[in-house]
Amino acid sequence: MRIIEIILLLIVTVFPIYISIKNYSLNKKSALVFIGIVFLIHLIFEGFRWQMIPSYLLILILTWCIFKEYSFFKGGLFRKIITGIGFAILIIFAWVLPYILPVFDLPTPSGKYKVGAQDVHLITDEEETITLEAGDKRELMVKVWYPAKINNEEKEVYLNDAERIGFSTKYGAPKGIFNYLDHVETNTFKKPDVAEGKFPVLIFSHGHQSNATGYYAILEDIVSHGYIVLNINHTYESVGSLFPDGEIKLYSKEFEKIQLDEKMSAMTWSATQELEKAKTNEEEYAAVKDLIRDYVAGDIGLRWSNDISMVIDALEKGDTFSFFATHINTSKIGVFGHSQGATAAGQGLLNDKRIKAGISIDGILWGAMIDTTLTKPFAILSADWDYNAYQPDLNKHIFRNGTANDFYQAKILNAGHSNFMDIPYKIRIPVINEAGSIKPEQASRISSKFVLQFFNKYLIGQNINLLKLEDEYAELELVQEN
């Protein structure tokens, strides 16, 4: 919570009790001026936010009570009890709401470059398979993050309208619930010039039905170290895409119903039952191998990896991404993704020879990977899962064939699935945000450092011993398989 918020909350918590006990042994005018100044500073520097409504209500009541010299807790015992309960409820909400849904601070990028971004609209010749409308072509919004040369550009707001509306729709919340994010200051500038030099390219794929750009904490840091990151918004499968003409395409629940049909449900149920009976690794493999090959997440991974390849095609042509065409090195392309995006990253690494290395961030590599031996550098960065309690460790079966190149498995201790996203900064309720007990800033710091070190080694060619990261971060467990 921010200092001015805390001062405001202390005022509405302490003053009512003080004036009741001391019976107005304070200068009424000075008290009202002080409260008014603090409230005005809050509105100017932090803005009106719905989370602060209980505080605003208490400020209004407190101002009236001071002006009229009226005690909060006046009257008989019953009235005092009722007033006390009402006051306590307002105070609890006044403190809890801005804490659990805060105006948060993103980590400051640690690299030498400033960070810029532009949204690029990519229109392809591919048929759109999700809408099933004749003649509908696949269109993507790609957010390009890049090392920037700053003049007088403003910083961009945190998340666009489509992502805010899509996120609120996903959780059945009012559409304006995330308007307070206007007060979150990003470290990303709007459409500045690209910094001098040529930079390697990383393509990032988000999680299924998540905010495509809800990864500011790690992406800003990676870009500040001299990478261009193409953040693909997979249309109809993120929470929402905002197109240049203002059209918003939200997550397609209709397509989800088509994919998750009875056959898919039966396959999942059967595999789960067989897995519970398994006593050995071989029996586990027999139980899940068909599910890994044929589950719908594999189809999504193929579709998204095709998006990745289409973005690389556009990179090579140069027209769509012309503003940074002279600043990229297309011989140095890496790919990484989170959750479902990890499947896309792995599939892209298999299918596209132009991609040199890849990272899976807390995802399962559904589909063809189980029948493949990797020939390119690859890493798995995962949360601290209790595989017995939550889900089986499917990746150990997926990579049973081993690799023909360097392969790493890393785990951030006490991290949850969302610790690779910005969600733990936005929502401070563990049962909702799916974060672990690790501090969000530390999880972001370790994640971006691992991604940077990996691609510095395998794209740029720096002589780096990744295993030494364990010495730098006590929360990181890291092994090299090959």
Side-chain angles (χ1 to χ4, degrees):
M1 295 175 70
R2 302 190 173 193
I3 293 177
I4 194 65
E5 282 181 10
I6 294 173
I7 294 173
L8 194 66
L9 288 166
L10 286 173
I11 288 173
V12 299
T13 303
V14 175
F15 265 48
I17 299 172
Y18 176 83
I19 62 179
S20 294
I21 294 174
K22 297 293 185 178
N23 195 27
Y24 287 95
S25 60
L26 79 167
N27 185 297
K28 181 168 69 173
K29 183 177 179 180
S30 297
L32 289 173
V33 169
F34 175 67
I35 293 170
I37 289 173
V38 172
F39 183 60
L40 188 62
I41 290 173
H42 161 70
L43 291 180
I44 291 173
F45 291 98
E46 297 185 345
F48 174 88
R49 307 202 325 271
W50 66 265
Q51 297 98 316
M52 299 294 291
I53 288 176
S55 297
Y56 301 154
L57 181 57
L58 283 166
I59 286 286
L60 184 64
I61 295 171
L62 178 60
T63 300
W64 184 85
C65 286
I66 292 176
F67 183 76
K68 293 288 187 179
E69 296 187 3
Y70 184 87
S71 174
F72 257 62
F73 304 105
K74 187 177 181 180
L77 179 62
F78 179 76
R79 183 173 177 178
K80 287 179 179 178
I81 291 173
I82 296 300
T83 303
I85 291 172
F87 175 70
I89 291 172
L90 278 175
I91 287 295
I92 289 170
F93 277 100
W95 281 92
V96 169
L97 286 177
Y99 175 78
I100 63 176
L101 295 169
V103 172
F104 57 90
D105 294 316
L106 287 163
T108 301
S110 60
K112 68 178 183 179
Y113 291 101
K114 297 294 184 182
V115 179
Q118 296 191 35
D119 293 316
V120 174
H121 182 199
L122 178 60
I123 304 173
T124 77
D125 294 327
E126 294 278 328
E127 295 294 327
E128 179 58 79
T129 59
I130 294 178
T131 60
L132 302 179
E133 295 177 9
D136 195 7
K137 300 296 182 182
R138 183 77 166 155
E139 296 184 44
L140 301 170
M141 290 305 300
V142 181
K143 182 166 185 173
V144 182
W145 311 65
Y146 54 90
K149 184 167 53 178
I150 305 303
N151 293 311
N152 298 311
E153 292 82 7
E154 296 179 353
K155 290 181 178 178
E156 67 179 19
V157 297
Y158 183 78
L159 300 185
N160 62 38
D161 288 343
E163 293 184 308
R164 294 184 189 186
I165 292 171
F167 198 57
S168 61
T169 301
K170 177 179 178 179
Y171 292 103
K175 289 185 178 180
I177 194 171
F178 293 110
N179 287 348
Y180 72 91
L181 294 176
D182 288 343
H183 304 295
V184 173
E185 184 177 355
T186 71
N187 302 294
T188 301
F189 292 86
K190 292 188 289 186
K191 297 184 177 181
D193 292 334
V194 185
E196 296 297 326
K198 284 198 171 186
F199 306 100
V201 175
L202 301 179
I203 300 176
F204 178 74
S205 183
H206 59 79
H208 188 250
Q209 201 184 357
S210 69
N211 281 321
T213 63
Y215 298 82
Y216 273 78
I218 65 170
L219 295 187
E220 286 182 334
D221 194 52
I222 291 168
V223 173
S224 76
H225 286 268
Y227 281 88
I228 290 174
V229 174
L230 305 184
N231 186 181
I232 301 175
N233 192 325
H234 299 287
T235 313
Y236 298 117
E237 294 179 285
S238 70
V239 294
S241 298
L242 177 63
F243 289 86
D245 62 359
E247 182 182 10
I248 292 175
K249 296 181 180 179
L250 299 178
Y251 179 78
S252 176
K253 292 184 178 180
E254 294 78 13
F255 188 67
E256 178 187 56
K257 292 176 182 177
I258 294 172
Q259 294 182 103
L260 296 176
D261 56 14
E262 292 183 7
K263 179 181 177 181
M264 201 62 59
S265 298
M267 182 194 306
T268 305
W269 173 257
S270 176
T272 302
Q273 296 303 302
E274 291 301 314
L275 188 61
E276 289 179 356
K277 300 174 186 176
K279 304 296 183 183
T280 66
N281 278 340
E282 289 304 314
E283 289 176 351
E284 286 183 9
Y285 173 73
V288 300
K289 62 181 181 179
D290 290 336
L291 179 67
I292 291 169
R293 290 189 183 105
D294 300 329
Y295 188 58
V296 65
D299 295 332
I300 297 171
L302 279 171
R303 187 162 52 251
W304 291 11
S305 70
N306 190 51
D307 288 346
I308 291 171
S309 291
M310 288 191 294
V311 168
I312 298 175
D313 292 341
L315 271 182
E316 292 183 335
K317 291 177 183 176
D319 296 340
T320 304
F321 299 99
S322 58
F323 74 94
F324 68 88
T326 60
H327 294 275
I328 61 172
N329 189 338
T330 54
S331 67
K332 295 180 178 179
I333 298 177
V335 65
F336 65 124
H338 174 239
S339 194
Q340 178 64 62
T343 307
Q347 195 65 48
L349 195 67
L350 292 179
N351 293 352
D352 199 315
K353 64 182 181 181
R354 298 167 294 185
I355 300 173
K356 306 304 181 186
I359 298 176
S360 158
I361 300 180
D362 212 36
I364 297 171
L365 279 296
W366 302 97
M369 189 69 77
I370 192 172
D371 299 312
T372 306
T373 299
L374 271 174
T375 59
K376 300 175 185 177
F378 193 71
I380 295 175
L381 176 62
S382 69
D384 194 1
W385 289 99
D386 181 350
Y387 289 110
N388 293 321
Y390 293 100
Q391 65 178 30
D393 183 4
L394 296 181
N395 278 335
K396 75 176 181 181
H397 301 297
I398 291 168
F399 290 99
R400 70 198 308 270
N401 293 329
T403 67
N405 210 309
D406 289 351
F407 178 74
Y408 298 85
Q409 294 212 53
K411 177 168 68 175
I412 300 179
L413 300 178
N414 301 315
H417 187 61
S418 71
N419 277 117
F420 304 100
M421 309 173 70
D422 298 339
I423 287 178
Y425 298 94
K426 288 187 288 190
I427 304 172
R428 289 180 176 154
I429 309 175
V431 295
I432 295 177
N433 67 17
E434 296 184 359
S437 59
I438 190 172
K439 291 183 177 179
E441 297 82 2
Q442 184 70 347
S444 299
R445 192 175 299 116
I446 296 171
S447 300
S448 61
K449 187 66 174 286
F450 179 80
V451 172
L452 282 166
Q453 293 269 351
F454 179 85
F455 287 119
N456 284 348
K457 181 177 179 68
Y458 293 106
L459 284 189
I460 300 176
Q462 293 181 3
N463 184 18
I464 294 173
N465 183 354
L466 279 175
L467 299 180
K468 288 187 175 180
L469 282 174
E470 270 194 320
D471 300 330
E472 189 173 346
Y473 299 108
E475 301 91 341
L476 182 65
E477 288 185 355
L478 177 59
V479 295
Q480 185 175 2
E481 299 289 338
N482 189 40

